[in-house]
Amino acid sequence: VEIEERKQVEEKLKEYSERLEEMVEERTQELKEAHEALVRKEKLAVLGQWSSSIGHELRNPLGAIKNACYFLNMKMKTIEDEAVKDNIRIMNQEINTAGEIISDLSDFARIKLPVRREADINQLVTETLSRAEIPENITASTDFAVDMAPVSVDPVQIGQVFLNLIDNAVQAMGAGGALKISTRIKDEATEAIFADEGCGIPTNNLEKIFEPLFTTKTKGIGLGLALIRTLVEGHGGRIEVESEEGKGSTFTVRFVEKTHSSQRNLS
Ligand SMILES: Nc1ncnc2c1ncn2[C@@H]1O[C@H](COP(=O)(O)OP(=O)(O)O)[C@@H](O)[C@H]1O
Ligand SMILES: [Mg+2]
């Protein structure tokens, strides 16, 4: 009888130690994620301060260059030198690109707390899509869930999230392709899914793409996805990516309603 009892106790202990390992692993993972989120936040805060002051300092010289360019352009009106004119055009173009980067930087510097209101995610996708620049070799289509309840979000911020995802998809499909945006309800959460047929993301980059300043583009600054992630997580939501090199990428934004998550925490 004693042996039986001891065996049972040993079994229990074994079970417990296995469960303990699992628990430690789970907690370690949680801790790791919390730590990463904190590091990301700090990085973003420092970057935000930097980008706002750099952006500010660059606006003035850029403005001066723009005026000089305008002046040259006026002077050149009477001259028939196509090469000179071309070069002035290039200068103008690049001044505009620089201006856009500066705007990105200051957008980035001004991440605020979300101002939520009940919003229709489908409508938000439609609105954003109409604002986006879609080249002719790309077809953008939508497939909306019809049974969606309004979600409490900051429409400006989520519009920014959607626009950034659309821009990235377009940039990934230089040779053209299809961008499919769909919405659905999954496990009580509202999801917006952006699927492109672009270049895809190599597996070892999947971890890095949400890091601030990670970019594989010659003209990219690598703040888009970092911004998106901060905004979505600021809403208590999640963003996930699946990708296959050469085939395309799918980004899923999941909004979890507050009431749902607290119900889950209680049980
Ligand atoms: N839809 C996509 N398809 C392929 N690669 C992508 C996609 N979206 C993002 N990426 C990758 O993630 C990187 C970071 O994206 P992002 O933070 O928006 O910065 P940026 O667009 O300035 O490069 C990109 O440089 C690219 O390598
Ligand atoms: Mg981008």
Side-chain angles (χ1 to χ4, degrees), residues 60-213:
N60 291 333
L62 194 68
I65 297 173
K66 198 170 180 159
N67 287 340
C69 207
Y70 182 79
F71 173 78
L72 283 179
N73 209 16
M74 295 297 287
K75 284 278 172 198
M76 289 298 152
K77 278 262 153 69
T78 50
I79 295 173
E80 291 294 317
D81 190 332
E82 279 307 312
V84 172
K85 283 185 178 167
D86 267 353
N87 277 289
I88 292 180
R89 241 195 311 275
I90 292 172
M91 279 171 70
N92 251 323
Q93 243 171 37
E94 296 300 314
I95 290 169
N96 286 339
T97 309
E100 277 165 23
I101 293 177
I102 291 175
S103 299
D104 270 7
L105 287 177
S106 42
D107 269 1
F108 190 73
R110 283 195 300 255
I111 302 179
K112 297 195 195 100
L113 285 177
V115 182
R116 293 172 187 258
R117 64 169 175 77
E118 297 281 293
D120 177 345
I121 295 296
N122 293 346
Q123 197 189 331
L124 217 50
V125 169
T126 308
E127 274 171 21
T128 312
L129 204 49
S130 68
R131 273 194 294 142
E133 277 175 45
I134 312 282
E136 278 184 358
N137 60 354
I138 290 172
T139 54
S141 62
T142 53
D143 179 13
F144 292 144
V146 284
D147 56 343
M148 292 221 305
V151 181
S152 163
V153 296
D154 184 324
V156 177
Q157 291 192 353
I158 297 308
Q160 238 180 324
V161 168
F162 291 170
L163 191 62
N164 266 291
L165 288 174
I166 295 170
D167 282 346
N168 277 344
V170 166
Q171 285 158 13
M173 294 191 284
L179 167 63
K180 293 191 178 118
I181 309 174
S182 52
T183 55
R184 65 174 181 188
I185 303 284
K186 196 186 164 207
D187 305 332
E188 295 176 40
T190 302
E191 290 185 343
I193 304 163
F194 295 73
D196 68 56
E197 299 176 338
C199 55
I201 302 160
T203 318
N204 53 344
N205 280 355
L206 280 178
E207 291 267 301
K208 300 181 207 147
I209 56 170
F210 293 100
E211 292 293 317
L213 301 184

Side-chain angles (χ1 to χ4, degrees), residues 164-165 168-169 171-172 196 199-201 209 214-217 220-226 249 251:
N164 266 291
L165 288 174
N168 277 344
Q171 285 158 13
D196 68 56
C199 55
I201 302 160
I209 56 170
F214 177 84
T215 183
T216 57
K217 299 170 192 168
I221 38 177
L223 291 179
L225 287 178
S249 314
F251 286 83

